[in-house]
Amino acid sequence: MSKRIKFSSVFAVLLALSLVLSACNFGSNSGSDDGQTLNLIELQEPPSLDSAKATDAVSFTVLDNVMEGLYRADGKDQPVLAMAAGEPKVSEDQKTWTFTLRDAKWSDGKPVTAKDFEYAWKRVLDPKTASEYVQMMYVLENGEEYNKGQAKPEDVGVKAVDDKTLEVKLKVAIPYFKALLTFPTFLPQRQDIVEKFGDKYALEAKNMVFNGAFVLSDWKHEKSFQYKKNDQYWDKGKVKLSTVNVNIVKDNAQAINLYETGKTDFTFLGAEFLDKYKNSKEKFVIEESSVWYLEFNQREKDFFKNSKIRKAFSLAVDRQKMIDSVLKNGSTLPEGFVHSAIYATPDKKYRDIVKYEFPFDPAQAKQLLAEGLKEIGMDKAPTVELLTDDTTRAKRQAEFLKEQFRVNLGVDVQIASVTFKERLERGKSGKFDIVMGGWSADYNDPLTYLTIMKSDESYNRGKWTNEEFDKLVRAATVNENYEERLEQLKQAEKILMDDTGVAMLYYRNQMGLKKDYVKNWPWRVIGAQYSLKEVSIEGKK
């Protein structure tokens, strides 16, 4: 046996031992176990739990479990009554909605009032808040005008008539308003708590109050967070779990070790472990509405302002190979920027009406790159930085893309793997050349995707711009003629795809492992990933 083999064997033993030791400390914040303690894994730290500022799926899932709006989404993505005591009174023109709130309390015992909704929604619209989701509130009468300094707060179409009555006035009637109200941006907030903690609001568990099924009782940043059953919750009789320990684990091997040693009841299943678990009854597909793509920084650099160069990068990626050899998680080829789960009409999905293909063509990719370089007066492509997350899964994808661009374009790519929070911040500030990102549906309508690519939208990280696209999306947002609206949506998406405003990669699904004693756990396709409200532990030995 060579010295190299001996060293590798010793290293493997030490690595395994370190994983076991880390597993022994896993979930140490769980406290006493009454049989209803659930241990989970999350891949990332929630960057912000301020519902007026949160932008990511991790934060949204946490908020969905500790807070409730007028409606909440059930396990089939349908809106069900939450803080609203019953269905609202809706005017004949469908623009005025009057809600009566149920008797509900915050976690400190104070009542949830209509004023908590009025305050929270207007805080989102307040320009000082700088909410990236502010355009969701533009559905309110004078919402956009207030956000742009053209109206006063009292002009906005949300008003607490009294403690139990909330009046909402819309700019136009929209078919998905109930679904919109399940989204975290529409959650209530307590003015006294927000003002008490100021810039530190929602940065720690102790700096918040909650009106959902659970409270956030412990938060060790970049390590773990913990839910406890909320004894003040109006529907606490349906909440079975007493404690949920969520540990942040970015390494796939460590996550699997923790699952196998019984230190966690759930983990995401990385591609390298799929063969091992291919026949496991504990494996399941996590279906999503998540579209993944590359955005090119077009702020100042001429290189990615050229549409031929963007198209070249798109043609250089073998998406099917990426899905089959890297992801291995049930992800599928993209058919456009709007996910295939989204409906265009109540009975027909948008992707059944129009589909796109994204071919792999290295020869044409090289030709377009050469043409694009000539147009901008460059002899050779510069070294390009690809910004991505620091998880095992993200690193594997980045390495695949780096090699695709080297072989099929002759372009040198450097990978910048950073924390989830840093990736979001760098994307927002434009500190990247290419960023790999994704978007999941906030509500069931094509606009949930197309809106983010408007030139004035903060989630348009690369700052791709097209005046006709902007015009069409704005028109579709307020058009009450749904046949015309559908045509506007189709035309807008075609512009985005034809110009390679983004380079589509795949529609993501994920694979997970879940112990069979974890029951009644719905995962959602739209909005926050999952709800723990009715989850229970049954038959655990």
Side-chain angles (χ1 to χ4, degrees):
M1 185 180 290
S2 70
K3 291 182 179 180
R4 177 180 294 178
I5 294 175
K6 285 183 180 179
F7 178 79
S8 299
S9 299
V10 172
F11 179 77
V13 171
L14 291 174
L15 176 61
L17 180 60
S18 70
L19 291 174
V20 170
L21 290 174
S22 67
C24 293
N25 293 321
F26 188 85
S28 60
N29 59 350
S30 61
S32 60
D33 187 356
D34 60 357
Q36 291 299 324
T37 295
L38 181 67
N39 295 305
L40 305 179
I41 280 177
E42 182 54 76
L43 299 176
Q44 306 285 2
E45 160 90 354
S48 174
L49 295 183
D50 181 347
S51 57
K53 298 180 179 181
T55 65
D56 65 284
V58 178
S59 299
F60 289 156
T61 298
V62 176
L63 286 168
D64 188 76
N65 284 288
V66 299
M67 303 286 281
E68 275 193 355
L70 295 170
Y71 290 87
R72 58 185 294 273
D74 67 10
K76 297 180 180 180
D77 297 316
Q78 297 302 308
V80 294
L81 294 170
M83 289 297 101
E87 294 298 335
K89 180 181 178 182
V90 183
S91 63
E92 188 175 345
D93 64 2
Q94 301 289 304
K95 294 182 182 180
T96 301
W97 297 50
T98 304
F99 295 89
T100 299
L101 270 60
R102 70 172 69 251
D103 292 329
K105 294 180 180 179
W106 292 95
S107 52
D108 63 357
K110 292 188 177 181
V112 178
T113 70
K115 186 68 178 177
D116 298 329
F117 284 91
E118 179 183 353
Y119 168 74
W121 295 10
K122 287 182 177 178
R123 181 167 175 259
V124 174
L125 286 165
D126 188 337
K128 295 178 183 177
T129 305
S131 172
E132 290 191 74
Y133 260 93
V134 67
Q135 293 197 37
M136 293 188 79
M137 288 288 178
Y138 285 3
V139 299
L140 300 178
E141 184 178 80
N142 290 315
E144 182 175 6
E145 288 77 4
Y146 169 48
N147 180 246
K148 294 182 176 179
Q150 300 164 3
K152 298 177 181 179
E154 54 267 30
D155 298 329
V156 177
V158 57
K159 179 182 178 182
V161 178
D162 55 43
D163 283 351
K164 292 290 185 181
T165 309
L166 183 71
E167 181 184 81
V168 179
K169 292 186 177 181
L170 303 179
K171 183 175 296 183
V172 296
I174 54 176
Y176 52 87
F177 186 52
K178 279 187 185 180
L180 204 61
L181 291 174
T182 68
F183 198 70
T185 309
F186 289 86
L187 288 169
Q189 290 184 336
R190 278 262 298 282
Q191 184 173 358
D192 61 324
I193 299 297
V194 175
E195 292 180 349
K196 175 182 178 180
F197 293 105
D199 291 341
K200 295 182 179 180
Y201 170 68
L203 295 181
E204 305 290 343
K206 64 182 180 180
N207 296 358
M208 301 178 70
V209 288
F210 312 95
N211 73 324
F214 299 90
V215 301
L216 194 66
S217 64
D218 191 31
W219 186 2
K220 295 181 174 66
H221 294 287
E222 295 293 343
K223 294 181 179 179
S224 64
F225 51 94
Q226 184 185 67
Y227 301 113
K228 287 284 189 179
K229 182 177 179 177
N230 183 2
D231 290 334
Q232 297 288 347
Y233 180 53
W234 68 274
D235 202 21
K236 64 181 180 180
K238 292 183 180 178
V239 182
K240 303 298 189 297
L241 296 172
S242 59
T243 304
V244 182
N245 301 309
V246 185
N247 285 265
I248 299 167
V249 181
K250 300 178 181 181
D251 181 76
N252 288 346
Q254 183 184 7
I256 291 298
N257 178 268
L258 295 169
Y259 187 80
E260 291 179 342
T261 56
K263 300 299 181 180
T264 184
D265 304 310
F266 161 82
T267 182
F268 294 100
L269 182 57
E272 63 269 44
F273 295 100
L274 283 174
D275 286 343
K276 181 177 182 180
Y277 287 93
K278 64 182 179 180
N279 297 319
S280 173
K281 294 181 180 179
E282 296 178 349
K283 182 183 71 174
F284 70 107
V285 177
I286 302 170
E287 295 184 1
E288 300 183 320
S289 59
S290 183
V291 301
W292 281 76
Y293 49 88
L294 300 176
E295 286 193 85
F296 307 100
N297 194 337
Q298 300 173 54
R299 286 168 166 81
E300 298 177 359
K301 300 177 182 179
D302 290 337
F303 186 65
F304 283 126
K305 286 183 179 179
N306 186 280
S307 63
K308 289 183 178 179
I309 292 175
R310 298 195 300 272
K311 183 72 170 179
F313 275 78
S314 179
L315 289 166
V317 178
D318 187 341
R319 294 163 177 81
Q320 191 64 61
K321 184 177 181 181
M322 186 177 191
I323 289 169
D324 294 341
S325 65
V326 180
L327 299 174
K328 302 180 182 179
N329 57 6
S331 294
T332 60
L333 290 171
E335 298 174 336
F337 195 60
V338 177
H339 193 275
S340 54
I342 300 302
Y343 278 80
T345 66
D347 59 352
K348 194 160 190 176
K349 289 186 175 181
Y350 180 76
R351 290 272 71 103
D352 290 340
I353 298 171
V354 56
K355 294 182 181 181
Y356 294 91
E357 292 184 355
F358 302 93
F360 170 55
D361 191 336
Q364 187 181 4
K366 288 178 180 177
Q367 180 181 336
L368 285 174
L369 177 62
E371 292 175 4
L373 287 170
K374 185 176 181 180
E375 289 177 1
I376 61 176
M378 295 182 69
D379 296 325
K380 182 182 178 182
T383 297
V384 173
E385 183 184 74
L386 172 61
L387 178 65
T388 187
D389 294 331
D390 60 354
T391 63
T392 303
R393 179 173 61 196
K395 289 177 180 178
R396 285 169 58 89
Q397 293 178 67
E399 289 292 345
F400 175 83
L401 291 169
K402 173 185 173 77
E403 186 66 4
Q404 290 279 287
F405 296 141
R406 183 189 70 80
V407 173
N408 300 324
L409 278 183
V411 175
D412 180 36
V413 173
Q414 301 297 317
I415 298 170
S417 296
V418 300
T419 65
F420 184 46
K421 184 174 183 178
E422 184 178 348
R423 195 258 290 172
L424 294 177
E425 287 297 323
R426 285 185 58 176
K428 182 179 178 181
S429 61
K431 295 179 180 179
F432 67 90
D433 294 324
I434 307 176
V435 61
M436 183 168 61
W439 191 262
S440 297
D442 299 332
Y443 50 94
N444 201 338
D445 188 88
L447 280 174
T448 192
Y449 297 95
L450 296 175
T451 299
I452 70 169
M453 292 307 298
K454 297 207 316 311
S455 57
D456 60 350
E457 173 59 56
S458 63
Y459 292 105
N460 179 353
R461 303 306 198 193
K463 294 307 173 188
W464 171 80
T465 60
N466 184 285
E467 291 184 6
E468 183 61 20
F469 176 89
D470 291 351
K471 180 180 177 181
L472 287 163
V473 172
R474 289 195 181 99
T477 303
V478 298
N479 195 340
E480 296 183 60
N481 182 319
Y482 293 116
E483 290 185 5
E484 290 181 1
R485 180 178 185 272
L486 178 57
E487 288 304 312
Q488 290 164 341
L489 295 171
K490 288 163 57 180
Q491 291 174 39
E493 187 185 35
K494 187 176 188 303
I495 290 171
L496 176 64
M497 296 293 93
D498 287 351
D499 198 44
T500 319
V502 297
M504 298 300 303
L505 293 176
Y506 54 86
Y507 290 162
R508 188 182 75 179
N509 285 326
Q510 300 191 76
M511 301 296 293
L513 290 173
K514 177 179 68 68
K515 301 294 186 182
D516 59 7
Y517 51 72
V518 181
K519 307 296 184 182
N520 305 317
W521 189 7
W523 283 71
R524 304 192 187 107
V525 174
I526 295 172
Q529 276 194 309
Y530 57 77
S531 169
L532 298 169
K533 177 177 176 176
E534 298 183 24
V535 175
S536 61
I537 306 294
E538 300 176 18
K540 181 178 180 181
K541 298 178 181 179

